[in-house]
Amino acid sequence: MVQSTMNILWILFMLFYNWLLFTTGTSVSKRPDVVNIGAILSFNSSIGKVAKVALEAAVEDVNSNPVVLSGTKLKLAMQDSKSSGGFLGIVEALRFMENDTVAIIGPQHSVMAHVVSHIANELQVPLLSFAATDPTLNSLQFPYFVRTTQSDLFQMATVADIVRYYEWQDVIAIYVDDDHGRNGVAALGDKLADNRCKISYKAPLNPKLSREDITKTLVKVALMESRIIVLHIYATWGLEVLDAAWDMGMMGSGYVWIATDWLSTVLDTESSLPSEAMDRMQGVLTLRMHTPDSELKRKFVSGWSNLTAAKSDNGLFGLNSYGLYAYDTVMLLAQALDAFLNQRENISFSNDPSLSEFRGGNLHFDNMSIFDEGNHLLNSILQVNITGVTGQIKFTSNGNLMHPAYEVINVVGKGMRTIGYWSNSSRLSVVPPEKLNTGTPSDHLYGVIWPGQTTQKPRGWVFSSNGRQLRVGVPNLVSFRQFVFRVGNSDIFHGYCIEVFLAAVELLPYALPYKFIPFGDGHSNPIKTDLLYNITTGDFDAVVGDITITTNRTKMVDFTQPYIESGLVVVAPVRKLHSSAWAFLRPFTPMMWTVTGIFFLVVGAVVWVLERRTNDDFQGRPRKQFVTTVWFSFSTLFFTHREKVDSTLGRLVLIIWLFAVLILNSSYTASLTSILTVEQLSSPVKGIESLATSNDPIGYQNGTFIDSYLTEEYHIQKSRLVPLNSAEEYERALKDGPQKGGVSAVVDMRAYMELFLSTRCDFSIVGQEFTKMGWGFAFPRESPLAVDLSTAILKLSENGELQNIHDKWLTRKACSSEGAKQDVDRLPLKSFWGLFLLCGSACLLALLLFIIKMVRQYMRRSGQSSQSQSAPIQSFLAFVKEKEEDDNRMELEDGQSRSKRRPRKMVSNRRVRELDESVNDSDHASVCGGNVNEVHYVV
């Protein structure tokens, strides 16, 4: 209804416009009633038959809507190109140039587009292709070529991002060997390189395929290591390749097939594919150009069945994305023509003088003419900005459509399942690009059912099954043969490194045939860098041995996970320090000992002053007070003092002093432990720093990176470095020393030095390990074997097998570092004989004084006794065995008899108070002589 009303209004407007011109007498040029456009298609292909219906429908919609071209009609002439790039298709394209054609839609195939673009450049006729996806057609060589669909540049970027997302390293590209295939695969290689991936093998197919050619190509592919196959081919033969791959067992578990958008085009178009054909492509990933959902698109899709029924002789078929772009190509051209006619309104053609020499004949080249305003129409096309069934139609500065996007599809069951989307801005996502916002997680895809009906991501790589053995280079060492050693002149090797490699290979999920190849003359250690260089030249496929992972080497090859840590250390001769008899005095300096002793006496004297008036423990005869004070002060050293401290000031002084004593004890213990253990071994070389600042010669293992490392990192002169080839040379050079032509120290990897020191106790590692490195197996750059063996090494480490191999080859009991450490930690008796001598002397002196005291008491007692001393020895021993109380009683009695001749000694006030309280508390106490305060107590 709305459309009919618009048509009537337009007719009335044109009648009014013509009447106005007639009455005013104005003469103006008239827009053309009909504009000729052409289309080159392959009518029987999946793309061509859909595009034919879409183009016809678009032309009808334009012609039925007078608003689009203001009454000008489009006249569409279509030619069947029959094949992808045949001669007949090119001839059909030339016929359009005889009929004043202003634009050509097509050609469908990129190969033909390259040829026809040259003709379009000569005759200045814009060429609008909705299906030629070759990215090189955008070059400046073809200014009149306009691509109205997505370029393969973005399709290959999608494939590269899929490979990166699943962490695969390389792919195999199967492609048709023409401009379309070669240029598409070249774009794929560039995009993979951006993601640090690569095409490991290219398998071109003859454009005129046969089943035998396909089989021969797939046999070569099956012998390759990669299992990621990108199939960039025409839909005509794509299903044939997948069918042949099924027959050869290449559609099973472990393979990954990524087909470009030709497969989704076939599946969208051909709804009647046999079920057997669908079963043979299960798990394949394919792409489809993404077009946003819109009202225009839904309306067009819903009416597709009616269009095919009315306009096609091939029966019903589905709508693919190329059909949508073909429809929008007509709409784009109509919009550009309208803008062009609004500015020019004249369409003129002129003969090409350069074609006059071809006059005559059936081809009529001389009838082809140049479109005089072709460049203006081209500019109008490139400036179009409309919304069609495929979304926004607008060109970028380099001639591509804006907002390229693809759907990632998984062939499952009887149909397809979208697992994600790709766009130039958001990369991989499970959300359509037009709905993606900043809060939606990107770089994610839904789960895939891979070939073989498995959901586990394929590894993407296996070792080639073509029978070729892995050529493994092994250094033929002459020293430290526990790591690698060759059995005679054979190709058999043993050792720690070899056994780790063999154990890791056993854990690989596939068979790995290999062959060890010795490297070196057997007289000196080979240069490891030269060994690794053979990988880059292709002489070796891997290197196994004591190969240190360094920065410069990682630029040449890829290494596995380190299977042993081994940094650089310094080994030098050491001598044992002979402990002094007075070593226990070394923690403190003489001044410290003096001050500490003085403070013991001072603190004791202060406490005595504070306590003597009120504390019985610090009272008595002067000698007793002196002894008590000295004993109290020195017993605080062990917190064993028994004397009570009653005064507040005394307690304050004591608590502070006890804290100081605690610190002194702890410091003494720590210092003595350090002196008697750590410094048992001594060397003039303290580490790499002291070694670098000296002028002494330094030894290193010949054939390693150590010489360049020391010169570059520590600026040690090359003349100071002495290459050594064996452990025996190490020992001889270290024993000779710099004075006899030897070296002061050897710098080498810890793994070597621990083995060297296991039987040589005269040397030791001095200083700290000054690098953190490891050993690994080397492979060519980006080799999947490096990843798989790294995983195997980690498994060996987790299950303890790696440690078992280490203990088997590298553990020694003779003079190992652990045994040497235990010897250092043991403290000899000679370090303490001075201390024991002091204690023994004190004991003997105390016993001597005790015996003298006993003799004096015995003599005093014997002089007072009138008994005969028939057996003086037995009597003396009996006296010693008597209790000390009896002797004290006798001394007391003797003292009382003497006290009668001396003034009575008054008891202390404290004792008086105690007696006073005891008297008052007794009911029967009677005090003679008056007041109790006047009573005098006699001792």
Side-chain angles (χ1 to χ4, degrees), residues 22 50 127 148 179 342 355 426 598 602 621 650 656 661 684 740 806 872 889 894 925 932:
F22 177 76
V50 172
L127 200 64
T148 59
D179 291 338
N342 286 336
L355 297 177
S426 62
I598 292 174
V602 169
R621 290 172 293 179
I656 296 175
V661 169
K740 297 182 179 179
H806 179 277
R889 186 180 66 254
D894 180 65
V932 68

Side-chain angles (χ1 to χ4, degrees), residues 284-514:
V284 175
L285 295 182
T286 185
L287 304 178
R288 177 198 288 147
M289 288 182 289
H290 174 68
T291 54
D293 188 27
S294 64
E295 183 64 28
L296 286 174
K297 178 181 176 181
R298 287 193 296 269
K299 181 180 178 180
F300 185 75
V301 172
S302 62
W304 180 254
S305 298
N306 296 331
L307 289 175
T308 55
K311 299 181 180 299
S312 175
D313 299 331
N314 298 326
L316 298 179
F317 46 82
L319 173 64
N320 57 49
S321 56
Y322 286 100
L324 297 175
Y325 279 102
Y327 182 88
D328 274 352
T329 301
V330 176
M331 293 299 177
L332 180 154
L333 178 58
Q335 185 74 20
L337 280 171
D338 184 62
F340 167 76
L341 293 175
N342 286 336
Q343 296 175 359
R344 298 279 175 176
E345 291 194 346
N346 289 326
I347 297 178
S348 61
F349 293 86
S350 59
N351 292 328
D352 187 355
S354 62
L355 297 177
S356 59
E357 58 184 88
F358 295 101
R359 185 169 300 172
N362 295 328
L363 294 179
H364 304 290
F365 286 114
D366 55 328
N367 291 336
M368 291 188 293
S369 55
I370 298 175
F371 181 19
D372 295 330
E373 294 82 18
N375 60 331
H376 297 290
L377 177 59
L378 176 64
N379 292 332
S380 297
I381 291 172
L382 295 177
Q383 293 174 5
V384 168
N385 185 5
I386 63 173
T387 301
V389 295
T390 60
Q392 184 182 15
I393 302 175
K394 184 179 179 180
F395 294 98
T396 62
S397 58
N398 55 12
N400 290 315
L401 288 177
M402 296 187 66
H403 310 304
Y406 283 86
E407 299 176 21
V408 183
I409 297 171
N410 185 203
V411 179
V412 181
K414 301 299 181 181
M416 298 181 291
R417 169 174 158 266
T418 300
I419 62 171
Y421 302 87
W422 180 94
S423 69
N424 200 28
S425 57
S426 62
R427 300 300 177 183
L428 296 176
S429 173
V430 295
V431 180
E434 65 274 10
K435 297 181 180 179
L436 194 66
N437 53 56
T438 55
T440 304
S442 58
D443 205 22
H444 180 65
L445 295 175
Y446 288 121
V448 178
I449 298 178
W450 303 100
Q453 301 298 311
T454 178
T455 57
Q456 184 178 2
K457 184 196 77 171
R459 185 173 61 253
W461 177 90
V462 295
F463 191 76
S464 62
S465 56
N466 58 2
R468 184 178 65 86
Q469 291 181 319
L470 193 74
R471 295 165 299 174
V472 180
V474 182
N476 190 12
L477 300 181
V478 298
S479 63
F480 303 108
R481 293 167 57 85
Q482 291 85 347
F483 295 103
V484 175
F485 69 92
R486 183 181 182 184
V487 179
N489 293 323
S490 66
D491 294 335
I492 301 175
F493 286 83
H494 293 297
Y496 169 72
C497 302
I498 300 299
E499 189 160 340
V500 172
F501 175 75
L502 298 179
V505 169
E506 291 294 326
L507 295 179
L508 294 178
Y510 48 85
L512 182 65
Y514 58 87

Side-chain angles (χ1 to χ4, degrees), residues 710-727:
L710 293 178
T711 55
E712 294 173 4
E713 297 296 330
Y714 289 92
H715 307 291
I716 298 176
Q717 296 178 0
K718 191 78 172 180
S719 58
R720 291 179 54 196
L721 302 178
V722 179
L724 303 172
N725 290 309
S726 64

Side-chain angles (χ1 to χ4, degrees), residues 622-829:
R623 186 183 66 176
K624 176 178 178 297
Q625 294 182 40
F626 176 77
V627 172
T628 301
T629 302
V630 174
W631 165 257
F632 170 81
S633 61
F634 283 97
S635 62
T636 57
L637 178 62
F638 309 103
F639 306 99
T640 58
H641 52 283
R642 295 183 179 180
E643 291 75 13
K644 295 181 180 180
V645 178
D646 295 332
S647 65
T648 303
L649 293 177
R651 291 176 178 177
L652 177 63
V653 172
L654 182 61
I655 194 65
I656 296 175
W657 174 243
L658 291 178
F659 178 74
V661 169
L662 176 64
I663 300 300
L664 290 173
N665 276 334
S666 302
S667 302
Y668 178 85
T669 303
S671 180
L672 183 62
T673 302
S674 176
I675 290 172
L676 297 179
T677 58
V678 176
E679 296 185 0
Q680 286 288 337
L681 298 178
S682 176
S683 172
V685 179
K686 303 302 180 182
I688 185 61
E689 289 79 11
S690 65
L691 193 62
T693 56
S694 68
N695 293 320
D696 295 335
I698 303 171
Y700 71 95
Q701 185 177 166
N702 189 23
T704 62
F705 69 99
I706 298 175
D707 56 340
S708 59
Y709 178 83
L710 293 178
T711 55
E712 294 173 4
E713 297 296 330
Y714 289 92
H715 307 291
I716 298 176
Q717 296 178 0
K718 191 78 172 180
S719 58
R720 291 179 54 196
L721 302 178
V722 179
L724 303 172
N725 290 309
S726 64
E728 290 73 18
E729 291 187 16
Y730 282 14
E731 183 177 10
R732 183 167 55 253
L734 288 172
K735 286 184 176 180
D736 292 343
Q739 295 78 13
K740 297 182 179 179
V743 297
S744 61
V746 170
V747 176
D748 208 340
M749 303 300 293
R750 176 176 286 274
Y752 299 128
M753 292 296 93
E754 288 180 349
L755 196 62
F756 172 76
L757 296 174
S758 64
T759 55
R760 297 169 177 87
C761 301
D762 295 334
F763 314 103
S764 178
I765 296 175
V766 295
Q768 299 295 323
E769 185 176 4
F770 56 95
T771 61
K772 293 294 183 182
M773 298 180 178
W775 292 355
F777 305 132
F779 293 91
R781 295 295 302 272
E782 300 177 358
S783 171
L785 258 179
V787 178
D788 289 353
L789 277 177
S790 293
T791 303
I793 290 172
L794 289 175
K795 291 180 180 179
L796 291 174
S797 178
E798 291 172 358
N799 61 25
E801 183 62 23
L802 193 62
Q803 185 62 41
N804 294 335
I805 299 174
H806 179 277
D807 295 341
K808 173 183 176 181
W809 288 96
L810 304 182
T811 301
R812 295 292 181 268
K813 298 180 180 179
C815 186
S816 64
S817 58
E818 288 298 323
K821 184 178 183 302
Q822 291 175 3
D823 290 340
V824 169
D825 290 342
R826 294 192 181 99
L827 300 177
L829 177 61

